[in-house]
Amino acid sequence: MAPFIATGTMIRAGGATIQANLIAATDGLYALTQATVAQGRRTSELDGFAPFVVLGAELARDMAIAAGQPVRIGDAVRMDDQVLTVIGVLGPAFPVPLLSLDLDRSAVIPFRTARRLVPDPQITTVAARLTPGADDRATAARVADYFQARLRPGGVQVQTARQLVDGLEQQMRVYGLLLLAIGAVSLVVGGVGVMNVMLMSVMERRREIGLRLAIGARRRDIRTMFLTEALILATLGSLLGTGLGTLAGWLFAEASGWSFLAAPLALPLGAGMALAVGLFFGSYPAARAARLDPIAALRAE
């Protein structure tokens, strides 16, 4: 378990002022966040009120760029009109959404040193890791009851990793439904486009249809002909849309520095859905063409 105080601060480096997160924490923070030390050492309970600071990887890099030289152990750093000594630099770390921590952009000081920099050094968060097999819901309820009985006036909010995951899954479901609605509208619009093109084709080719019927073509042959044309149109559209969509996704991933990996079922399902929509919306023009009267069709201009 590790209590910590989190706030914002301004660090002067060279002629620039850099905004950073200030974290006053006990030793347990490093174990909870699995933070590694690239240079020097980390803060300790033995530091007491000493003006020491450990810099995050990105923060140290920005300070080095602003000052024109790399950050070294023992350098003096001015932070909110206080001078602190750099005793360590952390390695790259992943953000911790559950604790709202980004150690790469943070300056970590000993817990008691917060009295030097924070006007009202009140604990903002207490982070803890459960033992394997523990019931997180029951533990969270007991922790909340424990603090509620002692924090009067005031309150406490207990959040577990499971609650964070559940919240993210709920957001993904909402995004999935939103994308489903957008995709459904796009399919309907595309299907209406296919139907309009096929209806125009039926109107322009009435003499051809009448001639085919007059020389012995069956109505199902006419229907099959126009359904085939609708499938060809839908196939070309699905191939073009799949190619453009994949290219747009790849370009966005490259621009964002992400790795691109298409879902195995996304491409065949997308193309198959486009074909199904083309067949569904092309069935009405095909049926209308098959129902034309040969005599009336031959008289058409």
Side-chain angles (χ1 to χ4, degrees):
M1 182 176 64
F4 62 88
I5 302 169
T7 184
T9 187
M10 304 298 293
I11 299 177
R12 294 189 60 83
T17 301
I18 301 174
Q19 186 175 4
N21 305 318
L22 179 64
I23 302 174
T26 58
D27 301 2
L29 178 71
Y30 300 99
L32 286 172
T33 58
Q34 299 180 349
T36 59
V37 179
Q39 302 178 39
R41 67 174 180 89
R42 63 188 187 184
T43 57
S44 169
E45 288 294 319
L46 301 178
D47 293 331
F49 297 91
F52 293 156
V53 63
V54 174
L55 302 176
E58 292 186 9
L59 180 59
R61 182 192 61 193
D62 293 345
M63 292 176 59
I65 294 174
Q69 61 183 5
V71 177
R72 296 185 296 267
I73 304 302
D75 286 352
V77 175
R78 181 169 293 277
M79 188 182 304
D80 291 339
D81 297 330
Q82 294 286 333
V83 178
L84 286 80
T85 302
V86 177
I87 63 171
V89 177
L90 297 176
F94 290 103
V96 186
L98 183 63
L99 305 179
S100 299
L101 288 181
D102 184 6
L103 289 180
D104 284 344
R105 300 291 310 168
S106 299
V108 184
I109 60 177
F111 186 75
R112 297 182 182 179
T113 308
R115 296 177 181 270
R116 293 175 175 264
L117 299 172
V118 182
D120 187 17
Q122 301 291 331
I123 295 175
T124 55
T125 304
V126 178
R129 177 176 295 168
L130 296 177
T131 57
D135 188 345
D136 59 331
R137 292 188 176 90
T139 303
R142 292 179 60 186
V143 170
D145 293 340
Y146 176 87
F147 282 105
Q148 290 290 359
R150 290 162 175 78
L151 296 178
R152 295 181 179 176
V156 63
Q157 180 182 2
V158 181
Q159 186 177 22
T160 65
R162 185 189 302 273
Q163 292 174 338
L164 179 63
V165 172
D166 292 341
L168 292 176
E169 289 180 349
Q170 184 177 1
Q171 291 181 8
M172 292 302 296
R173 285 194 294 268
V174 173
Y175 294 151
L177 292 175
L178 179 61
L179 291 176
L180 179 62
I182 295 174
V185 172
S186 300
L187 288 175
V188 171
V189 172
V192 171
V194 171
M195 185 171 63
N196 288 335
V197 171
M198 296 306 301
L199 287 174
M200 290 298 297
S201 178
V202 171
M203 294 296 295
E204 294 174 355
R205 298 166 61 186
R206 284 180 296 174
R207 290 179 60 85
E208 176 188 345
I209 297 171
L211 182 59
R212 286 176 180 269
L213 290 173
I215 62 177
R218 294 167 296 184
R219 295 189 181 277
R220 66 180 183 182
D221 296 331
I222 302 299
R223 183 166 54 250
T224 302
M225 180 183 68
F226 279 94
L227 282 178
T228 303
E229 293 183 4
L231 282 177
I232 293 174
L233 185 62
T235 301
L236 294 177
S238 65
L239 292 177
L240 181 61
T242 301
L244 291 177
T246 304
L247 178 62
W250 179 79
L251 291 176
F252 182 80
E254 287 293 321
S256 303
W258 300 342
S259 58
F260 177 78
L261 180 62
L265 295 178
L267 299 183
L269 284 178
M273 183 62 68
L275 292 178
V277 170
L279 183 62
F280 176 77
F281 283 91
S283 59
Y284 173 71
R288 183 171 178 178
R291 290 196 301 265
L292 285 177
D293 183 17
I295 305 300
L298 285 172
R299 291 176 179 174
E301 294 296 334

